[in-house]
């Protein structure tokens, strides 16, 4: 299940690589809408998976501390990427979401197998637009398309590894898993407002904003199904 969810990353990149829309305004609106959709999906992951699971594991004011820790750490990483001229914000946001959720998937498999397929589906649906956005971002950074897709395939393999770690090592350590999820939530919140949301703005177009809502609603539907 983690492998299928991870495979959505290179699939999203492959779709971006073969995107060919002749009309400039339509191409721009599609790209901005997909970026916004990915931002909405990330926000839903924070609201319905990372923070609730982390809060359930820790159940104290440590929740706030770990979120702040993740946000500050990501701000430092982002500043380093800016200084180096790297185009990796979408990629970092995707991995900050995918890896903790894959670990959670492994832990869920060890404790509540019935919920695992729906959680895997939710992760997969988030990874598809995030892979699309990360591909476009790195292409702007002048990386070659085949190189990006090979990199994405390697990153997708992290999903099963993280899930296996969650299944074998962290199922009995919910506080460690919770702290990891909360740190990821803080990092994602920072990236959404620092890097992702500013890229969705498009003059006289409303589809990107609706795309963000659609991404959030998709996460909500997954949360309701799992619940």
């Amino acid at each position: 299940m983690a492998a299928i969810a991870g495979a959505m990353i290179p699939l999203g990149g492959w779709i971006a690589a073969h995107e060919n829309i002749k009309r400039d305004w339509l191409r721009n609106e599609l790209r901005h809408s997909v970026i916004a959709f990915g931002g909405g999906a990330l926000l839903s992951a924070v609201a319905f998976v990372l923070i609730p699971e982390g809060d359930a594991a820790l159940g104290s004011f440590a929740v706030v501390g770990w979120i702040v820790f993740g946000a500050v750490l990501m701000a430092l990483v982002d500043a380093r990427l800016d200084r180096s001229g790297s185009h990796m914000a979408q990629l970092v946001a995707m991995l900050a979401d995918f890896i903790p959720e894959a670990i959670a998937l492994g832990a869920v498999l060890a404790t509540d197998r019935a919920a695992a397929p729906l959680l895997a589906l939710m992760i997969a649906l988030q990874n598809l637009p995030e892979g699309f956005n990360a591909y476009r971002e790195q292409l702007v950074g002048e990386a070659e398309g085949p190189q990006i897709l090979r990199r994405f395939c390697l990153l997708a393999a992290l999903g099963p590894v993280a899930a296996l770690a969650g299944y074998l090592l962290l199922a009995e350590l919910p506080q460690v898993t919770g702290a990891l999820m909360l740190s990821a939530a803080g990092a994602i919140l920072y990236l959404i407002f620092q890097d992702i949301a500013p890229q969705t703005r498009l003059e006289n177009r409303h589809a990107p904003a609706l795309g963000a809502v659609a991404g959030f609603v998709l996460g909500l539907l997954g949360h309701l199904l799992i619940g």
Side-chain angles (χ1 to χ4, degrees):
M1 286 188 288
I4 292 172
M8 296 298 105
I9 296 174
L11 178 59
W14 183 86
I15 293 172
H18 291 82
E19 168 210 21
N20 186 20
I21 299 176
K22 300 299 183 182
R23 294 178 180 272
D24 289 342
W25 70 267
L26 183 57
R27 182 171 62 249
N28 288 335
E29 188 158 354
L30 173 65
R31 290 174 183 172
H32 282 71
S33 297
V34 173
I35 291 172
F37 183 90
L42 282 169
L43 187 58
S44 72
V46 170
F48 302 126
V49 178
L50 298 175
I51 289 181
E53 292 294 331
D55 183 41
L58 297 180
S60 69
F61 286 103
V63 170
V64 176
W66 283 111
I67 292 174
V68 172
F69 170 78
V72 172
L73 180 62
M74 186 52 63
L76 295 173
V77 171
D78 191 41
R80 178 66 181 271
L81 292 175
D82 282 342
R83 286 195 297 270
S84 65
S86 176
H87 293 78
M88 296 182 64
Q90 295 277 350
L91 179 64
V92 171
M94 177 174 63
L95 292 178
D97 174 32
F98 177 45
I99 300 303
E101 287 192 339
I103 292 173
L105 177 62
V108 167
L109 278 168
T111 57
D112 184 11
R113 289 178 179 268
L118 287 172
L119 178 57
L121 177 62
M122 184 177 174
I123 297 171
L125 292 174
Q126 291 167 355
N127 282 342
L128 186 65
E130 289 166 15
F132 181 98
N133 295 335
Y135 180 93
R136 295 296 313 170
E137 180 185 56
Q138 292 194 44
L139 201 62
V140 171
E142 299 182 355
E144 296 183 359
Q147 178 188 9
I148 298 172
L149 291 177
R150 286 195 297 270
R151 188 182 304 161
F152 281 11
C153 289
L154 292 175
L155 293 175
L158 294 175
V161 174
L164 186 63
Y167 183 82
L168 296 177
L169 303 176
L170 297 180
E172 302 300 324
L173 297 171
Q175 290 186 327
V176 175
T177 305
L180 182 62
M181 289 183 173
L182 291 167
S183 298
I188 290 169
L189 285 172
Y190 170 85
L191 286 169
I192 286 174
F193 293 102
Q194 172 66 14
D195 294 306
I196 298 176
Q199 296 184 57
T200 67
R201 175 67 177 164
L202 197 59
E203 292 293 335
N204 300 320
R205 301 291 176 188
H206 306 290
L210 292 173
V213 175
F216 186 84
V217 169
L218 175 66
L220 174 59
L221 289 173
H223 170 70
L224 294 174
L225 289 172
I226 291 173

